[in-house]
């Protein structure tokens, strides 16, 4: 069995997605997500110019050897571009192997470890009243876990809060726009938000919050400590994680569970965090961390230290990645939770899928492979449109973390 074609498909049904389709000489094909939000064309070039030519003619059944060939053979290894491209190949090959076995992917991984997959949604509002209303709507849909983000008084635009009635989409302009930030205003207001949410809805729902890397370690420690009375499921991305030891200081001061990892690309980005038990949830995604083969190693390592998974699942990941993630979630013993931002009807038409959502829980479906396909004719109707993530500045103009 040989790979005879590997095609990169770029489409924009409301936002940009990059998909890799690998076809074998037996006519079986697999699909992988290669989307890197705001840097999509960099991955396209890496795949088309460097990886795909070396992929043709190989045996698609040799997933591990192919993974090692492209990882170890690159010399300039790791990084978001290379690991996203490698993830697309890896997921497409797992899709092929599961189809060859006539099994849903989770069965090939070792079978399911649960009957359904707990997911959390986003409840965002420009002010406290609209945020409470968003939480109420999410709760009515059956969600048992809700990420709460709220506009901050005195800050014009806040991460996680959409403009108008549309869903939140950070890649909002051709070239990067600028947002302003005040740590003081944020820290003074957010505990009030969670106090109001708990007062309104009680303690029967899980609450999560994303800081989005905007605090220093001691500031994150303060926030975690002040949020303790509201028993968060987790506080996410409290600080930039390039310095993994930053989490030691946070951990010393708060019992609020900590989650991090959506921008990580390998086990080396989170090794110290996991083995020193400085986090509770690892959020590294299949699409940005080398695919199923590598994320499985991260999850197995994390299980030794009671760290659970909590995959990133925003709409900057295509339904292909969501399908693969759900099969992984079904299998992985140390599962924690799965993020869910619903794709639009337009996106779902381009990427027909077998996974199903019902009142706060997912199941991945029983279709052989990961159960997600791409309608290439429909995808061609939505050409790529450059969309950039914003930059963040403090009120004095200093460039800050986004």
């Amino acid at each position: 069995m040989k790979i005879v074609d590997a095609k990169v498909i770029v489409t924009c049904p409301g936002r940009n997605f990059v998909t890799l389709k690998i076809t074998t000489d037996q006519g079986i094909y697999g699909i992988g997500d290669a989307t890197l939000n705001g840097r999509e064309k960099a991955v396209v070039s890496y795949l088309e110019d460097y990886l795909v030519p070396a992929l043709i003619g190989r045996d698609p059944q040799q997933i591990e050897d192919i993974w090692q060939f492209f990882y170890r053979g690159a010399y300039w290894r790791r990084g978001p571009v290379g690991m996203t491209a490698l993830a697309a190949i890896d997921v497409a090959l797992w899709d092929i192997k599961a189809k060859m076995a006539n099994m849903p992917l989770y069965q090939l991984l070792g079978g399911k470890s649960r009957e359904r997959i707990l997911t959390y949604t986003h409840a965002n509002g420009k002010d406290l009243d609209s945020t409470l209303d968003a939480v109420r709507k999410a709760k009515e849909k059956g969600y048992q876990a809700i990420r709460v983000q709220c506009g901050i008084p005195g800050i014009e635009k806040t991460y996680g809060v959409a403009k108008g009635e549309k869903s939140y989409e950070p890649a909002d302009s051709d070239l990067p726009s600028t947002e302003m930030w005040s740590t003081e205003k944020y820290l003074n207001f957010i505990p009030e938000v969670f106090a109001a949410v708990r007062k309104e809805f009680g303690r029967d729902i899980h609450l999560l919050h994303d800081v989005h890397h905007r605090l220093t370690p001691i500031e994150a420690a303060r926030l975690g400590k002040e949020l303790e009375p509201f028993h968060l499921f987790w506080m996410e991305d409290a600080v930039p994680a390039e310095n993994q030891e930053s989490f030691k200081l946070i951990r010393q001061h708060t019992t609020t569970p900590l989650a991090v990892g959506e921008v990580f690309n390998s086990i080396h980005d989170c090794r110290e965090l996991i083995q020193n038990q400085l986090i509770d949830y690892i959020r590294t995604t299949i699409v940005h961390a080398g695919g199923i083969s590598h994320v499985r190693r991260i999850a197995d390592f994390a299980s030794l230290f009671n760290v659970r998974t909590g995959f990133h699942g925003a709409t900057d990941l295509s339904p292909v990645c969501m399908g693969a993630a759900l099969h992984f979630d079904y299998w992985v013993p140390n599962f924690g939770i799965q993020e869910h931002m619903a794709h639009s009807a337009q996106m779902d038409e381009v990427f027909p899928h077998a996974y199903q959502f019902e009142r706060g829980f997912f199941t991945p479906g029983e279709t052989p492979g990961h159960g997600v396909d791409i309608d290439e004719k429909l995808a061609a109707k939505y050409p790529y449109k450059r969309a950039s993530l914003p930059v963040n500045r403090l009120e004095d103009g200093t460039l800050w973390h986004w």
Side-chain angles (χ1 to χ4, degrees):
M1 191 176 198
K2 292 183 178 180
I3 295 169
V4 295
D5 187 46
K7 176 167 55 176
V8 181
I9 304 163
V10 183
T11 185
C12 186
R15 63 152 299 110
N16 293 313
F17 295 122
V18 180
T19 306
L20 178 68
K21 182 176 182 179
I22 296 176
T23 304
T24 72
D25 56 1
Q26 294 185 13
I28 301 173
Y29 66 87
I31 302 292
D33 186 9
T35 306
L36 184 61
N37 194 14
R39 295 292 185 269
E40 296 90 356
K41 286 293 189 73
V43 183
V44 172
S45 174
Y46 195 79
L47 280 167
E48 291 183 338
D49 295 334
Y50 301 103
L51 303 193
V52 165
L55 190 61
I56 304 302
R58 293 186 175 275
D59 182 350
Q61 300 171 95
Q62 305 303 316
I63 297 175
E64 186 63 34
D65 185 68
I66 290 173
W67 195 96
Q68 296 294 340
F69 177 86
F70 285 121
Y71 180 79
R72 297 189 182 194
Y75 187 73
W76 308 107
R77 62 183 66 168
R78 298 165 60 190
V81 174
M83 293 301 277
T84 299
L86 182 51
I89 292 172
D90 186 76
V91 170
L93 295 180
W94 277 101
D95 192 25
I96 289 171
K97 186 175 280 287
K99 288 175 178 175
M100 289 173 60
N102 197 32
M103 291 181 177
L105 178 56
Y106 76 85
Q107 291 286 17
L108 201 63
L109 293 174
K112 63 183 177 181
S113 297
R114 56 201 46 84
E115 295 300 324
R116 53 184 184 163
I117 298 161
L118 177 67
T119 183
Y120 71 91
T121 190
H122 296 191
N124 313 321
K126 62 181 180 179
D127 53 30
L128 183 54
D129 286 342
S130 57
T131 299
L132 292 174
D133 187 53
V135 174
R136 184 176 297 105
K137 290 178 180 177
K139 194 169 182 291
E140 289 171 353
K141 292 178 181 178
Y143 285 100
Q144 298 181 15
I146 302 169
R147 194 190 85 167
V148 179
Q149 308 292 135
C150 183
I152 309 299
I155 301 179
E156 182 179 355
K157 187 178 179 184
T158 307
Y159 165 75
V161 180
K163 293 179 180 178
E165 299 300 319
K166 293 184 178 181
S167 298
Y168 177 66
E169 173 51 70
D172 60 356
S173 60
D174 179 49
L175 296 176
S177 59
T178 300
E179 298 179 359
M180 304 306 293
W181 176 253
S182 168
T183 300
E184 293 77 14
K185 291 172 182 175
Y186 168 80
L187 287 174
N188 289 335
F189 182 64
I190 285 298
E192 297 179 18
V193 173
F194 282 91
V197 173
R198 282 298 184 207
K199 182 179 180 181
E200 182 77 15
F201 300 103
R203 299 189 177 275
D204 291 338
I205 55 172
H206 298 299
L207 298 179
L208 304 86
H209 180 65
D210 186 359
V211 181
H212 220 252
H213 319 108
R214 299 194 176 188
L215 301 179
T216 65
I218 197 65
E219 290 167 346
R222 169 189 160 185
L223 180 61
K225 193 169 186 177
E226 292 185 354
L227 292 176
E228 284 178 10
F230 314 118
H231 297 167
L232 266 62
F233 189 95
W234 76 38
M235 181 172 72
E236 175 187 341
D237 289 348
V239 297
E242 287 91 342
N243 180 6
Q244 296 184 41
E245 289 195 357
S246 294
F247 282 78
K248 285 184 179 179
L249 191 150
I250 304 171
R251 199 62 139 178
Q252 290 169 2
H253 291 280
T254 181
T255 59
T256 295
L258 302 175
V260 72
E262 70 183 62
V263 299
F264 291 170
N265 308 125
S266 81
I267 196 169
H268 304 292
D269 296 320
C270 55
R271 185 182 65 249
E272 293 176 24
L273 291 170
I274 291 171
Q275 70 186 14
N276 293 317
Q277 300 182 68
L278 300 178
I279 59 172
D280 303 280
Y281 297 90
I282 182 65
R283 304 195 66 249
T284 310
T285 67
I286 286 172
V287 69
H288 295 148
I292 291 168
S293 295
H294 191 63
V295 173
R296 186 169 185 170
R297 293 188 177 99
I298 295 174
D300 283 342
F301 179 63
S303 70
L304 301 178
F305 301 95
N306 295 307
V307 173
R308 292 183 285 179
T309 63
F311 283 160
H312 178 60
T315 49
D316 59 345
L317 313 180
S318 87
V320 176
C321 184
M322 176 60 81
L326 291 172
H327 281 271
F328 195 98
D329 292 338
Y330 223 29
W331 159 76
V332 67
N334 52 319
F335 171 75
I337 200 167
Q338 170 68 54
E339 182 178 17
H340 176 217
M341 282 183 70
H343 292 100
S344 68
Q346 193 177 47
M347 296 172 187
D348 285 336
E349 287 177 357
V350 173
F351 296 95
H353 53 77
Y355 61 77
Q356 295 183 337
F357 172 80
E358 183 177 1
R359 298 195 62 78
F361 291 87
F362 270 111
T363 50
E366 296 298 316
T367 300
H370 56 52
V372 185
D373 208 338
I374 183 169
D375 185 327
E376 294 186 59
K377 289 184 179 179
L378 190 56
K381 295 181 180 180
Y382 303 111
Y384 169 82
K385 182 180 180 181
R386 186 173 62 194
S388 300
L389 296 167
V391 297
N392 204 37
R393 292 186 183 273
L394 301 180
E395 291 180 304
D396 67 0
T398 303
L399 197 69
W400 200 239
H401 306 288
W402 198 89

